[in-house]
PDB file of all heavy atoms in Angstrom:
ATOM      1  N   ARG W 402      16.302   3.806 -13.234  1.00  0.00           N
ATOM      2  CA  ARG W 402      17.110   5.022 -13.222  1.00  0.00           C
ATOM      3  C   ARG W 402      16.186   6.249 -13.289  1.00  0.00           C
ATOM      4  O   ARG W 402      16.371   7.225 -12.565  1.00  0.00           O
ATOM      5  CB  ARG W 402      18.082   5.033 -14.396  1.00  0.00           C
ATOM      6  CG  ARG W 402      19.173   6.065 -14.268  1.00  0.00           C
ATOM      7  CD  ARG W 402      19.981   6.123 -15.536  1.00  0.00           C
ATOM      8  NE  ARG W 402      19.137   6.612 -16.628  1.00  0.00           N
ATOM      9  CZ  ARG W 402      19.351   7.741 -17.283  1.00  0.00           C
ATOM     10  NH1 ARG W 402      20.378   8.466 -16.998  1.00  0.00           N
ATOM     11  NH2 ARG W 402      18.544   8.130 -18.234  1.00  0.00           N
ATOM     12  N   ASN W 403      15.164   6.180 -14.135  1.00  0.00           N
ATOM     13  CA  ASN W 403      14.209   7.278 -14.228  1.00  0.00           C
ATOM     14  C   ASN W 403      13.515   7.534 -12.897  1.00  0.00           C
ATOM     15  O   ASN W 403      13.330   8.676 -12.490  1.00  0.00           O
ATOM     16  CB  ASN W 403      13.153   6.988 -15.302  1.00  0.00           C
ATOM     17  CG  ASN W 403      13.669   7.290 -16.692  1.00  0.00           C
ATOM     18  OD1 ASN W 403      14.739   7.885 -16.835  1.00  0.00           O
ATOM     19  ND2 ASN W 403      12.934   6.879 -17.704  1.00  0.00           N
ATOM     20  N   PHE W 404      13.132   6.449 -12.224  1.00  0.00           N
ATOM     21  CA  PHE W 404      12.460   6.622 -10.933  1.00  0.00           C
ATOM     22  C   PHE W 404      13.389   7.267  -9.915  1.00  0.00           C
ATOM     23  O   PHE W 404      13.003   8.174  -9.184  1.00  0.00           O
ATOM     24  CB  PHE W 404      11.966   5.281 -10.397  1.00  0.00           C
ATOM     25  CG  PHE W 404      10.723   4.794 -11.069  1.00  0.00           C
ATOM     26  CD1 PHE W 404      10.714   3.613 -11.780  1.00  0.00           C
ATOM     27  CD2 PHE W 404       9.543   5.518 -11.000  1.00  0.00           C
ATOM     28  CE1 PHE W 404       9.561   3.160 -12.406  1.00  0.00           C
ATOM     29  CE2 PHE W 404       8.393   5.085 -11.616  1.00  0.00           C
ATOM     30  CZ  PHE W 404       8.404   3.899 -12.323  1.00  0.00           C
ATOM     31  N   PHE W 405      14.631   6.800  -9.864  1.00  0.00           N
ATOM     32  CA  PHE W 405      15.576   7.353  -8.897  1.00  0.00           C
ATOM     33  C   PHE W 405      15.844   8.829  -9.186  1.00  0.00           C
ATOM     34  O   PHE W 405      15.977   9.642  -8.272  1.00  0.00           O
ATOM     35  CB  PHE W 405      16.889   6.571  -8.907  1.00  0.00           C
ATOM     36  CG  PHE W 405      16.794   5.252  -8.175  1.00  0.00           C
ATOM     37  CD1 PHE W 405      17.180   4.080  -8.796  1.00  0.00           C
ATOM     38  CD2 PHE W 405      16.331   5.200  -6.876  1.00  0.00           C
ATOM     39  CE1 PHE W 405      17.093   2.866  -8.131  1.00  0.00           C
ATOM     40  CE2 PHE W 405      16.244   3.997  -6.201  1.00  0.00           C
ATOM     41  CZ  PHE W 405      16.626   2.820  -6.837  1.00  0.00           C
ATOM     42  N   LEU W 406      15.930   9.171 -10.470  1.00  0.00           N
ATOM     43  CA  LEU W 406      16.166  10.568 -10.832  1.00  0.00           C
ATOM     44  C   LEU W 406      15.026  11.454 -10.346  1.00  0.00           C
ATOM     45  O   LEU W 406      15.232  12.612  -9.993  1.00  0.00           O
ATOM     46  CB  LEU W 406      16.323  10.715 -12.350  1.00  0.00           C
ATOM     47  CG  LEU W 406      17.674  10.318 -12.926  1.00  0.00           C
ATOM     48  CD1 LEU W 406      17.635  10.376 -14.447  1.00  0.00           C
ATOM     49  CD2 LEU W 406      18.773  11.232 -12.396  1.00  0.00           C
ATOM     50  N   ALA W 407      13.800  10.886 -10.348  1.00  0.00           N
ATOM     51  CA  ALA W 407      12.641  11.691  -9.974  1.00  0.00           C
ATOM     52  C   ALA W 407      12.514  11.869  -8.461  1.00  0.00           C
ATOM     53  O   ALA W 407      11.775  12.723  -7.995  1.00  0.00           O
ATOM     54  CB  ALA W 407      11.370  11.050 -10.537  1.00  0.00           C
ATOM     55  N   LEU W 408      13.229  11.047  -7.679  1.00  0.00           N
ATOM     56  CA  LEU W 408      13.150  11.182  -6.215  1.00  0.00           C
ATOM     57  C   LEU W 408      13.927  12.423  -5.779  1.00  0.00           C
ATOM     58  O   LEU W 408      14.952  12.751  -6.357  1.00  0.00           O
ATOM     59  CB  LEU W 408      13.757   9.952  -5.538  1.00  0.00           C
ATOM     60  CG  LEU W 408      13.009   8.637  -5.705  1.00  0.00           C
ATOM     61  CD1 LEU W 408      13.773   7.525  -5.007  1.00  0.00           C
ATOM     62  CD2 LEU W 408      11.609   8.735  -5.136  1.00  0.00           C
ATOM     63  N   PRO W 409      13.443  13.105  -4.744  1.00  0.00           N
ATOM     64  CA  PRO W 409      14.173  14.289  -4.275  1.00  0.00           C
ATOM     65  C   PRO W 409      15.500  13.903  -3.633  1.00  0.00           C
ATOM     66  O   PRO W 409      15.549  13.041  -2.753  1.00  0.00           O
ATOM     67  CB  PRO W 409      13.216  14.909  -3.243  1.00  0.00           C
ATOM     68  CG  PRO W 409      12.331  13.793  -2.824  1.00  0.00           C
ATOM     69  CD  PRO W 409      12.213  12.860  -3.978  1.00  0.00           C
ATOM     70  N   ALA W 410      16.582  14.527  -4.082  1.00  0.00           N
ATOM     71  CA  ALA W 410      17.904  14.195  -3.557  1.00  0.00           C
ATOM     72  C   ALA W 410      18.108  14.742  -2.147  1.00  0.00           C
ATOM     73  O   ALA W 410      18.996  14.302  -1.424  1.00  0.00           O
ATOM     74  CB  ALA W 410      18.980  14.730  -4.495  1.00  0.00           C
ATOM     75  N   SER W 411      17.259  15.696  -1.756  1.00  0.00           N
ATOM     76  CA  SER W 411      17.492  16.378  -0.473  1.00  0.00           C
ATOM     77  C   SER W 411      17.427  15.416   0.710  1.00  0.00           C
ATOM     78  O   SER W 411      18.171  15.558   1.672  1.00  0.00           O
ATOM     79  CB  SER W 411      16.469  17.502  -0.303  1.00  0.00           C
ATOM     80  OG  SER W 411      15.168  16.988  -0.458  1.00  0.00           O
ATOM     81  N   VAL W 412      16.533  14.403   0.615  1.00  0.00           N
ATOM     82  CA  VAL W 412      16.407  13.455   1.723  1.00  0.00           C
ATOM     83  C   VAL W 412      17.724  12.711   1.919  1.00  0.00           C
ATOM     84  O   VAL W 412      18.220  12.557   3.039  1.00  0.00           O
ATOM     85  CB  VAL W 412      15.282  12.430   1.436  1.00  0.00           C
ATOM     86  CG1 VAL W 412      15.092  11.501   2.622  1.00  0.00           C
ATOM     87  CG2 VAL W 412      13.986  13.141   1.108  1.00  0.00           C
ATOM     88  N   GLU W 413      18.319  12.266   0.812  1.00  0.00           N
ATOM     89  CA  GLU W 413      19.573  11.532   0.916  1.00  0.00           C
ATOM     90  C   GLU W 413      20.689  12.436   1.433  1.00  0.00           C
ATOM     91  O   GLU W 413      21.502  12.028   2.256  1.00  0.00           O
ATOM     92  CB  GLU W 413      19.977  10.985  -0.455  1.00  0.00           C
ATOM     93  CG  GLU W 413      19.055   9.888  -0.941  1.00  0.00           C
ATOM     94  CD  GLU W 413      19.028   9.830  -2.457  1.00  0.00           C
ATOM     95  OE1 GLU W 413      20.077   9.539  -3.052  1.00  0.00           O
ATOM     96  OE2 GLU W 413      17.961  10.108  -3.015  1.00  0.00           O
ATOM     97  N   GLU W 414      20.702  13.685   0.947  1.00  0.00           N
ATOM     98  CA  GLU W 414      21.736  14.618   1.416  1.00  0.00           C
ATOM     99  C   GLU W 414      21.628  14.821   2.920  1.00  0.00           C
ATOM    100  O   GLU W 414      22.623  14.823   3.644  1.00  0.00           O
ATOM    101  CB  GLU W 414      21.607  15.950   0.670  1.00  0.00           C
ATOM    102  CG  GLU W 414      22.259  15.887  -0.703  1.00  0.00           C
ATOM    103  CD  GLU W 414      21.762  16.972  -1.639  1.00  0.00           C
ATOM    104  OE1 GLU W 414      21.135  17.936  -1.178  1.00  0.00           O
ATOM    105  OE2 GLU W 414      22.009  16.828  -2.855  1.00  0.00           O
ATOM    106  N   ALA W 415      20.387  14.949   3.409  1.00  0.00           N
ATOM    107  CA  ALA W 415      20.184  15.116   4.848  1.00  0.00           C
ATOM    108  C   ALA W 415      20.696  13.901   5.601  1.00  0.00           C
ATOM    109  O   ALA W 415      21.358  14.025   6.639  1.00  0.00           O
ATOM    110  CB  ALA W 415      18.700  15.344   5.134  1.00  0.00           C
ATOM    111  N   ALA W 416      20.414  12.704   5.056  1.00  0.00           N
ATOM    112  CA  ALA W 416      20.849  11.475   5.719  1.00  0.00           C
ATOM    113  C   ALA W 416      22.379  11.406   5.771  1.00  0.00           C
ATOM    114  O   ALA W 416      22.956  10.979   6.780  1.00  0.00           O
ATOM    115  CB  ALA W 416      20.285  10.256   4.996  1.00  0.00           C
ATOM    116  N   ILE W 417      23.034  11.856   4.685  1.00  0.00           N
ATOM    117  CA  ILE W 417      24.496  11.844   4.667  1.00  0.00           C
ATOM    118  C   ILE W 417      25.035  12.830   5.707  1.00  0.00           C
ATOM    119  O   ILE W 417      25.970  12.533   6.447  1.00  0.00           O
ATOM    120  CB  ILE W 417      25.016  12.195   3.253  1.00  0.00           C
ATOM    121  CG1 ILE W 417      24.644  11.072   2.280  1.00  0.00           C
ATOM    122  CG2 ILE W 417      26.533  12.376   3.265  1.00  0.00           C
ATOM    123  CD1 ILE W 417      24.909  11.403   0.834  1.00  0.00           C
ATOM    124  N   MET W 418      24.399  13.992   5.798  1.00  0.00           N
ATOM    125  CA  MET W 418      24.783  14.986   6.805  1.00  0.00           C
ATOM    126  C   MET W 418      24.702  14.391   8.205  1.00  0.00           C
ATOM    127  O   MET W 418      25.522  14.657   9.069  1.00  0.00           O
ATOM    128  CB  MET W 418      23.843  16.206   6.737  1.00  0.00           C
ATOM    129  CG  MET W 418      24.023  17.044   5.503  1.00  0.00           C
ATOM    130  SD  MET W 418      25.666  17.762   5.464  1.00  0.00           S
ATOM    131  CE  MET W 418      25.562  18.740   3.995  1.00  0.00           C
ATOM    132  N   ASP W 419      23.663  13.538   8.418  1.00  0.00           N
ATOM    133  CA  ASP W 419      23.488  12.924   9.734  1.00  0.00           C
ATOM    134  C   ASP W 419      24.442  11.768   9.949  1.00  0.00           C
ATOM    135  O   ASP W 419      24.370  11.084  10.972  1.00  0.00           O
ATOM    136  CB  ASP W 419      22.039  12.418   9.896  1.00  0.00           C
ATOM    137  CG  ASP W 419      21.068  13.573   9.983  1.00  0.00           C
ATOM    138  OD1 ASP W 419      21.549  14.711  10.189  1.00  0.00           O
ATOM    139  OD2 ASP W 419      19.857  13.358   9.852  1.00  0.00           O
ATOM    140  N   GLY W 420      25.313  11.493   9.006  1.00  0.00           N
ATOM    141  CA  GLY W 420      26.337  10.490   9.202  1.00  0.00           C
ATOM    142  C   GLY W 420      25.963   9.080   8.771  1.00  0.00           C
ATOM    143  O   GLY W 420      26.556   8.107   9.240  1.00  0.00           O
ATOM    144  N   CYS W 421      24.981   8.941   7.901  1.00  0.00           N
ATOM    145  CA  CYS W 421      24.616   7.629   7.379  1.00  0.00           C
ATOM    146  C   CYS W 421      25.762   7.058   6.531  1.00  0.00           C
ATOM    147  O   CYS W 421      26.377   7.783   5.761  1.00  0.00           O
ATOM    148  CB  CYS W 421      23.398   7.761   6.473  1.00  0.00           C
ATOM    149  SG  CYS W 421      21.891   7.109   7.131  1.00  0.00           S
ATOM    150  N   THR W 422      26.033   5.748   6.656  1.00  0.00           N
ATOM    151  CA  THR W 422      26.947   5.127   5.707  1.00  0.00           C
ATOM    152  C   THR W 422      26.155   4.796   4.447  1.00  0.00           C
ATOM    153  O   THR W 422      24.918   4.867   4.443  1.00  0.00           O
ATOM    154  CB  THR W 422      27.529   3.814   6.256  1.00  0.00           C
ATOM    155  OG1 THR W 422      26.443   2.896   6.415  1.00  0.00           O
ATOM    156  CG2 THR W 422      28.223   4.037   7.581  1.00  0.00           C
TER     157      THR W 422
END
Side-chain angles (χ1 to χ4, degrees):
Chain W
R402 194 187 66 117
N403 280 350
F404 283 118
F405 283 127
L406 282 174
L408 292 178
S411 54
V412 184
E413 291 153 64
E414 279 160 15
I417 293 171
M418 290 297 183
D419 291 346
C421 252
T422 64

